[in-house]
Amino acid sequence: MAASSDGIAPAWNTGDRAKAAAKLMLGWVAFLWILEVVDVSTGHSLDTYGIEPRRPGELLDVVPASFIHFGFGHVASNSVPLLVFGFLAALGGIRRFAAVAALIIVVDGLGVWLVSPAHSNTAGASGLVFGLFGYPLVRGFVDRRLLDIGAGLVIGAIWGSSVVLGISPANTSVSWQGHLFGLAAGVAAAFVFRRRRSTTPPAQPLMP
């Protein structure tokens, strides 16, 4: 951690941010795997925390559903993109990332609760994954930062086709509703949590 220019409060440098972001996302993904181990070892008892649409009591599962998966293959498919997108998003600051992730999870869960097919049970981190794809995709344009714009374009080029397939109603093997609401929430988060431009001129250093 480096000292700030005024010598009063510490400021995170790029290396500090990268380490913090990596630790956060590695811990997050490890937690998902631990939960799935518990789920399998208890006869899939955690699957009840998925979202069954339009049942008032299921609103309590809006947040937990993002951490529950239906098998190791399910959690494995979300692990790598969650690591990559989450790491890139968390580079902007852990507190900011926490707010972004919370917004995506809640909006995505509520969207699933409202529009998913009756008698379905939806769970998994893919809604968050799609949100964390949409967030860096537009964040650079919103914040007017060339480096972030470049990162967003690279992300779009690599994963764009998979995202389009994932939000297609023709893809009945996944919750395209959850993917779509997650993506929309991620794009919205880039505007909600955009960086405010300071109108105060930087402090001038004083000679001792």
Side-chain angles (χ1 to χ4, degrees):
M1 188 179 293
S4 65
S5 59
D6 57 12
I8 297 176
W12 290 94
N13 60 35
T14 303
D16 293 329
R17 288 180 181 272
K19 290 178 183 178
K23 289 179 180 178
L24 173 64
M25 296 317 302
L26 286 170
W28 193 309
V29 171
F31 180 60
L32 297 184
W33 279 91
I34 291 171
L35 285 177
E36 190 54 31
V37 169
V38 172
D39 185 40
V40 171
S41 63
T42 57
H44 300 283
S45 62
L46 299 184
D47 289 357
T48 58
Y49 290 99
I51 302 171
E52 297 181 32
R54 294 173 293 284
R55 295 177 57 184
E58 292 293 304
L59 288 171
L60 296 175
D61 294 333
V62 162
V63 172
S66 289
F67 297 86
I68 305 302
H69 291 81
F70 301 135
F72 292 116
H74 188 197
V75 69
S77 67
N78 285 327
S79 293
V80 173
L82 182 59
L83 275 173
V84 174
F85 301 155
F87 173 77
L88 292 174
L91 285 176
I94 300 300
R95 285 185 295 181
R96 190 185 191 197
F97 170 80
V100 168
L103 175 65
I104 293 170
I105 289 172
V106 171
V107 171
D108 179 59
L110 290 175
V112 167
W113 184 85
L114 282 170
V115 305
S116 285
H119 310 298
S120 62
N121 185 19
T122 302
S126 56
L128 176 61
V129 167
F130 274 67
L132 292 177
F133 168 85
Y135 174 68
L137 190 67
V138 302
R139 178 183 59 183
F141 295 98
V142 174
D143 290 342
R144 299 179 183 179
R145 294 164 64 94
L146 289 177
L147 185 60
D148 289 342
I149 291 174
L153 292 175
V154 171
I155 290 171
I158 296 174
W159 279 283
S161 59
S162 297
V163 169
V164 171
L165 179 62
I167 63 175
S168 170
N171 190 355
T172 58
S173 62
V174 297
S175 173
W176 64 267
Q177 298 93 339
H179 295 170
L180 181 60
F181 275 98
L183 178 63
V187 171
F191 290 91
V192 173
F193 300 109
R194 65 184 180 275
R195 295 187 183 279
R196 302 294 191 271
R197 293 182 176 274
S198 175
T199 57
T200 303
Q204 297 296 320
L206 301 176
M207 297 296 293

